[in-house]
Amino acid sequence: MEGDIASMGQFLGAGLAGIGTGLAALGVGNVAGNYLAGALRNPSAAASQTATLFIGLAFAEALGIFSFLIALLLMFAA
């Protein structure tokens, strides 16, 4: 009985941590969409903002990778 509750907790925690990967995808879409909207408004400033775009994409992807790693740790290491 105790093993079932522990494994249920592991999978529940991993599922909740897995939500972070989906939210990271929304964050990447938000960053790219706002960059595109700004580039269409002011095309001359778009070239100077590409570094900011890549930094924002990297941070959003890193959060998704961290939440995926936590989900794996909860499933297999805990």
Side-chain angles (χ1 to χ4, degrees), residues 3-75:
D4 293 337
I5 293 174
S7 66
M8 179 189 68
Q10 285 178 340
F11 291 129
L12 184 64
L16 290 174
I19 292 173
T21 57
L23 294 177
L26 289 174
V28 168
N30 192 14
V31 169
N34 285 333
Y35 170 77
L36 185 59
L40 289 175
R41 279 193 209 127
N42 191 0
S44 62
S48 65
Q49 295 297 320
T50 53
T52 307
L53 168 73
F54 290 132
I55 290 171
L57 290 175
F59 281 143
E61 282 295 323
L63 289 175
I65 291 169
F66 291 152
S67 66
F68 179 67
L69 180 67
I70 289 172
L72 288 177
L73 286 173
L74 283 173
M75 280 184 15

